[in-house]
Amino acid sequence: MKIARFETFWIQMRKNKPLNESRKTGQTSGTKMAFCSIGYLVKQVEISRHLFLSQDEEALVRAAASMHMDFVNKNANILEINFNGSLIQYEVLDYLEFTSDRKRMSVVVRDCSSNKIILLSKGADEAILPCAYAGFQTKTFYEAVDQYAQMGLRTFCLAWRELNEVEYHDWSLMFKEANSTLVDREWRVAEVCQRLEQDLEILGVAAIEDRLQDGVPEAIETLRKAGINFWMLTGDKQNTAIQIALSCNFVSPEPKGQLLLINGKTEDEVCRNLERVLLTMRITKAEPKDVAFVIDGWALEIALKNYRKAFTELAILSRTAICCRVTPSQKAQLVELLKSCDYRTLAIGDGGNDVRMIQQADIGVGISGREGLQAARAADYSIGKFRFLTRLILVHGRYSYNRTAFLSQYSFYKSLLICFIQIFFSFVSGVSGTSLFNSVSLMAYNVFYTSVPVLVSVLDKDLSEKTVMQHPQILFYCQAGRLLNPTTFAGWFGRALFHAIVVFAITMHSYAFEKSEMEEVSMVALSGCVWLQAFVVTLETNSFTILQHVAIWGNLVVFYIINWIVSALPRSGMYTIMYRLCRQPAYWNTMFLIVAAGMGPVLALKYFRYTYRSSKINILQQAERLGGPILSLGNIEPQPRTLDDTDDRSPLSISQSKNGRSSVFEPLLSDSPSAVRRSFGPAPMARNE
């Protein structure tokens, strides 16, 4: 993901000496670079000069305009440029598209005045500088690239060369043939482009500042407190990526911070660096952002191919990583690797080259803006700024987890309640297969009587949004599965069994020996279930609104209205049943006993837990209700689990914990007996290439 961009940019261009006189041109290389930028915009700017494919292109075109070279018009393939008041026309012949493998793009144009054919190329320094003609001095340009990268600027090089008619004609035939082939088209096109993009004359180095949006460092720091690990996946140079990481508080500066580099072009170099970094990560106990490893795309390809187990262990041990010069496919491979480590991954990006990574992650977030909508359309969620990610995870994500946990377990509870009553009745009826409830009552129970109150749980908030944002560490409870795990499910199962016993026992005791009709017993048991549902939903609701009160208590009123209407129908099978029950004091006494016996122990357990075994969330809830300040929540930071037997392992071997699972940083809560889950996994962040 491009961590941030501003609406304005500035460019630094390194000007060379005037071009060789054999080229027969009087323009300086800086002007040539400006024209090169315009050339690339020919394809994208079809209607208005203010439409751009990316902000990089916009910055280059505006820089060219500041050098008195303005794009005027495009008529078919004829490009008109205003240079110092004079109109210059160029015919666009071919486009050599950018790919993540080639890391450059080119355009072939013909000067309409001199009829010369010119190739203009732009791309990464590693893709352009090696293509310079023999004897060309590139040392100065390498120094410029390093200098700009140290400043945190995104760099690329521009080059050109003149083509003769025969050379271009022969190449054009091969290019058209490669584009029309059906087998290995991309490889064939790249091979043909490589034949033309050689013996180039380097024009200069351009650098674009990629500024941070407001609130990015604060957002990253807040999400770290919530136990989220970060990986930055970028196509920028290593120095540029490191400077960006420092500026956004992704890693700590020296001397507190330590960056472990994994570089190399051969397997031996990568092996040694990976071994060194792995040994360091096994023994480190520093903060997450104080120790991070940095790896480039070349070394990453070797590591994933030949040392995948060792790199997997490094991924488990690391909570911060910077991967630079990576391709879109490598971004997706890293996300897949983290998912194989049993992490939950969230990928966030804003460009088209982040789409594969976003789709590979468990949760994909796209940033919509001036970079386009490709990432936003491919993502699960779309946001406008990076800092909105904090609210998306801490507020909406946490609320969604809480509500989903309650809704799923409550749905099982209300269904089990009816099932247990039916099972108990089967023993009373001699296992005859007779149902206590008729089909209409069962249908209405699930569709009307118990569904409406729980649907408004989407409005429930256990804590205010302000409190959640002030205490991001409470997200550990969600990561540990405190509200949805086998223990909580067993609790709802036990509650359903207990309530079924209460409803069945009290109903049978009150009406079975009074020679009542079976329909009356059925309606009494159904009424008891509906009353218990209302109080269960009320007890589990943390914040009440008018809509929730209407849904819970209004649902009880609707229950009686529906049954009164049904009881008025002679052919309904329940004729006058509800009328007779409502006139009997024994019916209301039965409802009171069912609610008291069913909810009394539940309330007692809840009071005991809140009073004597209150969690950090309970403390926050009490502070909100009392309106007092929250001094401290204590220590609920996730404790890292160390890998055992580190001294006995081979340098590049993947370690396993004693229970057969890879050890990771887990949110071990002091008051959580079941906190054994991994933290919400690394959130890969990608910057556009």
Side-chain angles (χ1 to χ4, degrees):
M1 161 208 119
K2 201 184 293 315
I3 291 183
R5 278 192 184 276
F6 253 40
E7 294 184 357
T8 59
F9 296 86
W10 57 276
I11 298 180
Q12 293 188 4
M13 294 186 176
R14 185 175 182 84
K15 294 187 178 180
N16 194 12
K17 297 179 181 179
L19 299 179
N20 193 300
E21 291 297 328
S22 63
R23 304 282 188 179
K24 295 184 179 179
T25 177
Q27 294 174 313
T28 64
S29 64
T31 306
K32 216 40 166 168
M33 284 189 290
F35 166 71
C36 185
S37 304
I38 290 289
Y40 298 125
L41 267 292
V42 174
K43 186 174 181 180
Q44 292 100 29
V45 185
E46 296 287 349
I47 301 176
S48 171
R49 62 180 300 172
H50 301 295
L51 299 179
F52 301 96
L53 182 65
S54 70
Q55 298 180 49
D56 290 351
E57 305 293 356
E58 179 181 357
L60 293 174
V61 171
R62 292 189 177 185
S66 67
M67 303 173 71
H68 310 291
M69 181 166 284
D70 296 323
F71 169 75
V72 177
N73 186 30
K74 182 188 177 185
N75 185 12
N77 288 333
I78 303 300
L79 175 69
E80 297 180 355
I81 297 175
N82 184 357
F83 176 60
N84 286 333
S86 60
L87 189 64
I88 305 175
Q89 292 184 336
Y90 294 90
E91 179 186 1
V92 180
L93 301 178
D94 284 297
Y95 297 104
L96 283 65
E97 299 287 354
F98 174 88
T99 64
S100 57
D101 295 327
R102 294 174 58 241
K103 296 184 179 180
R104 60 177 177 265
M105 62 184 298
S106 301
V107 61
V108 181
V109 298
R110 184 192 300 273
D111 191 337
C112 296
S113 59
S114 62
N115 208 34
K116 291 181 178 179
I117 300 177
I118 304 172
L119 170 70
L120 302 168
S121 298
K122 179 194 72 172
D125 57 284
E126 60 186 27
I128 294 294
L129 295 181
C131 297
Y133 64 83
F136 188 84
Q137 299 297 324
T138 59
K139 180 180 178 180
T140 304
F141 296 99
Y142 278 114
E143 293 176 353
V145 169
D146 293 337
Q147 178 184 355
Y148 292 143
Q150 290 290 346
M151 299 169 60
L153 304 178
R154 303 184 61 188
T155 61
F156 52 87
C157 299
L158 302 108
W160 82 304
R161 80 180 181 99
E162 187 177 325
L163 308 176
N164 57 57
E165 288 286 350
V166 177
E167 180 185 10
Y168 171 71
H169 178 73
D170 296 340
W171 177 86
S172 179
L173 293 177
M174 292 187 295
F175 187 63
K176 292 178 181 178
E177 181 182 357
N179 276 311
S180 61
T181 186
L182 299 179
V183 180
D184 297 330
R185 178 182 300 173
E186 294 183 0
W187 179 82
R188 292 282 303 278
V189 170
E191 183 183 21
V192 173
C193 292
Q194 178 66 31
R195 294 188 179 187
L196 193 66
E197 295 170 331
Q198 57 185 350
D199 296 331
L200 301 176
E201 181 174 348
I202 310 301
L203 296 174
V205 177
I208 298 179
E209 182 180 8
D210 198 0
R211 293 184 182 175
L212 291 176
Q213 295 175 354
D214 294 335
V216 173
E218 293 80 5
I220 293 178
E221 182 65 23
T222 301
L223 292 176
R224 282 195 191 280
K225 293 179 181 179
I228 297 178
N229 306 335
F230 281 87
W231 285 44
M232 185 172 74
L233 315 181
T234 175
D236 291 335
K237 288 179 63 65
Q238 186 177 95
N239 290 335
T240 303
I242 292 175
Q243 293 301 319
I244 293 294
L246 290 171
S247 63
C248 69
N249 201 26
F250 191 81
V251 294
S252 300
E254 295 182 349
K256 183 179 180 181
Q258 183 181 7
L259 294 179
L260 308 175
L261 303 181
I262 304 177
N263 296 325
K265 299 294 184 181
T266 64
E267 293 185 15
D268 292 338
E269 293 177 351
V270 174
C271 178
R272 288 195 299 269
N273 290 329
L274 186 58
E275 177 183 351
R276 171 180 53 83
V277 173
L278 194 54
L279 291 175
T280 303
M281 295 300 297
R282 286 170 178 169
I283 62 176
T284 185
K285 296 182 179 180
E287 292 295 324
K289 69 176 183 177
D290 291 343
V291 178
F293 75 87
V294 183
I295 187 171
D296 60 14
W298 192 281
L300 178 63
E301 183 177 358
I302 296 176
L304 291 177
K305 182 179 180 181
N306 301 306
Y307 307 106
R308 189 177 185 87
K309 289 186 178 180
F311 189 78
T312 302
E313 180 183 351
L314 181 61
I316 294 174
L317 292 173
S318 303
R319 303 189 68 184
T320 303
I322 301 175
C323 303
C324 53
R325 286 299 192 197
V326 293
T327 63
S329 60
Q330 287 178 324
K331 294 178 182 179
Q333 290 176 20
L334 285 172
V335 174
E336 183 180 6
L337 176 69
L338 293 172
K339 290 173 64 177
S340 69
C341 300
D342 202 19
Y343 277 117
R344 297 295 178 264
T345 57
L346 181 149
I348 178 170
D350 65 348
N353 55 356
D354 301 324
V355 171
R356 295 181 62 179
M357 173 188 70
I358 289 174
Q359 293 178 335
Q360 183 67 39
D362 295 308
I363 303 172
V365 180
I367 300 179
S368 59
R370 300 179 66 181
E371 280 296 319
L373 298 176
Q374 287 180 292
R377 289 171 178 170
D380 302 304
Y381 301 94
S382 176
I383 57 179
K385 301 288 184 181
F386 180 84
R387 57 187 172 89
F388 298 158
L389 182 64
T390 304
R391 182 177 175 83
L392 177 65
I393 295 178
L394 298 183
V395 177
H396 299 291
R398 185 177 174 277
Y399 284 162
S400 177
Y401 168 79
N402 292 350
R403 295 161 181 169
T404 302
F406 169 70
L407 179 60
S408 59
Q409 294 176 118
Y410 172 83
S411 299
F412 280 104
Y413 158 77
K414 68 183 183 66
S415 299
L416 289 172
L417 177 59
I418 287 292
C419 292
F420 284 138
I421 293 177
Q422 293 276 52
I423 293 173
F424 297 152
F425 180 75
S426 67
F427 292 108
V428 175
S429 62
V431 197
S432 62
T434 304
S435 175
L436 177 62
F437 307 102
N438 57 53
S439 59
V440 177
S441 298
L442 290 176
M443 182 272 295
Y445 174 80
N446 285 299
V447 176
F448 299 108
Y449 304 152
T450 60
S451 296
V452 176
V454 76
L455 288 180
V456 295
S457 65
V458 297
L459 304 176
D460 188 35
K461 300 179 180 180
D462 60 338
L463 294 170
S464 65
E465 298 178 6
K466 181 180 179 181
T467 302
V468 172
M469 294 296 290
Q470 289 178 347
H471 304 279
Q473 61 269 31
I474 61 177
L475 189 67
F476 294 144
Y477 288 90
C478 299
Q479 299 168 10
R482 288 293 302 275
L483 298 182
L484 184 59
N485 55 59
T487 302
T488 59
F489 184 82
W492 282 94
F493 183 90
R495 182 185 298 189
L497 179 61
F498 171 68
H499 283 173
I501 294 174
V502 169
V503 172
F504 185 79
I506 294 179
T507 300
M508 291 293 106
H509 180 76
S510 301
Y511 282 86
F513 304 103
E514 298 293 336
K515 297 182 180 181
S516 302
E517 298 180 10
M518 182 175 176
E519 287 77 9
E520 288 185 355
V521 177
S522 172
M523 184 55 62
V524 172
L526 184 64
S527 301
C529 292
V530 174
W531 275 93
L532 281 177
Q533 304 292 322
F535 280 92
V536 166
V537 174
T538 303
L539 184 64
E540 298 298 329
T541 301
N542 297 284
S543 60
F544 286 95
T545 62
I546 296 179
L547 183 60
Q548 288 170 304
H549 281 294
V550 171
I552 295 173
W553 308 116
N555 184 72
L556 278 175
V557 177
V558 172
F559 166 74
Y560 284 101
I561 292 176
I562 292 177
N563 284 279
W564 283 337
I565 295 174
V566 174
S567 298
L569 302 177
R571 297 183 180 180
S572 64
M574 298 175 58
Y575 186 59
T576 69
I577 294 296
M578 184 57 72
Y579 293 134
R580 295 200 306 266
L581 288 176
C582 290
R583 289 198 299 265
Q584 298 174 5
Y587 171 79
W588 299 108
N589 292 335
T590 302
M591 294 301 104
F592 176 79
L593 288 175
I594 289 176
V595 172
M599 298 305 299
V602 177
L603 286 171
L605 289 174
K606 198 175 186 70
Y607 174 79
F608 175 80
R609 188 182 67 182
Y610 271 69
T611 304
Y612 301 103
R613 297 190 62 185
S614 59
S615 65
K616 305 300 186 286
I617 295 179
N618 300 146
I619 296 175
L620 292 174
Q621 290 174 333
Q622 295 173 9
E624 280 190 349
R625 290 164 185 166
L626 297 176
I630 304 171
L631 300 179
S632 175
L633 286 180
N635 180 25
I636 59 174
E637 293 291 331
Q639 301 297 325
R641 293 180 59 187
T642 58
L643 296 172
D644 298 331
D645 305 327
T646 56
D647 296 335
D648 299 333
R649 289 174 295 178
S650 58
L652 290 181
S653 62
I654 178 66
S655 62
Q656 297 288 339
S657 57
K658 294 182 179 180
N659 59 2
R661 299 179 63 187
S662 301
S663 302
V664 296
F665 288 89
E666 298 180 350
L668 302 179
L669 306 177
S670 57
D671 55 351
S672 173
S674 59
V676 295
R677 291 193 178 185
R678 288 171 169 77
S679 62
F680 191 86
M685 302 193 310
R687 286 168 46 83
N688 280 343
E689 297 177 1

